[in-house]
Amino acid sequence: LTHLATEGISMSEWHASLPTYHMGKHKLDARSFDVDAALAKIAATYEADADAQVSTVDGVKIDLPTGWVHLRKSNTEPIVRVYTEAPSPEAADALAERFKAELVG
């Protein structure tokens, strides 16, 4: 509230100034490839990328300059869950499609 008062702006004006991000939730059938090997390969590839930050705490999460992707093997279904976040819904979906292709490629 102090910041809003100091800047002389309303809460809605402050909120409108924040960047907007959109999430994508996808899944990929994992019966046709070795999921563990594919996730390890993607993690190794992006760990070598200076523009990416990789976490392998729960699957593989990759923070990129344009958004992030989280690839996680399901414990109950033969699928990989692919979560993304980017500045637009189209960019979030494109990021998911990119990593789905990298997983099976």
Side-chain angles (χ1 to χ4, degrees):
L1 291 174
T2 301
H3 176 72
L4 297 178
T6 303
E7 295 297 317
I9 59 174
S10 68
M11 180 67 92
S12 59
E13 289 172 315
W14 174 75
H15 183 264
S17 73
L18 298 174
T20 303
Y21 291 95
H22 300 271
M23 287 198 68
K25 294 181 181 180
H26 296 251
K27 58 185 174 180
L28 177 65
D29 189 321
R31 292 178 283 196
S32 63
F33 63 98
D34 182 343
V35 175
D36 294 323
L39 290 174
K41 181 179 176 184
I42 285 180
T45 298
Y46 285 91
E47 284 172 346
D49 184 338
D51 290 330
Q53 293 181 338
V54 178
S55 170
T56 56
V57 172
D58 180 26
V60 177
K61 183 174 186 248
I62 305 166
D63 288 301
L64 300 163
T66 58
W68 57 258
V69 61
H70 184 201
L71 309 165
R72 185 177 179 278
K73 183 168 88 170
S74 173
N75 292 324
T76 59
E77 303 174 81
I79 63 170
V80 175
R81 297 192 186 281
V82 180
Y83 300 106
T84 58
E85 185 178 84
S88 71
E90 297 80 13
D93 289 340
L95 194 57
E97 294 304 322
R98 169 183 157 189
F99 278 90
K100 285 166 48 178
E102 286 188 36
L103 275 170
V104 298

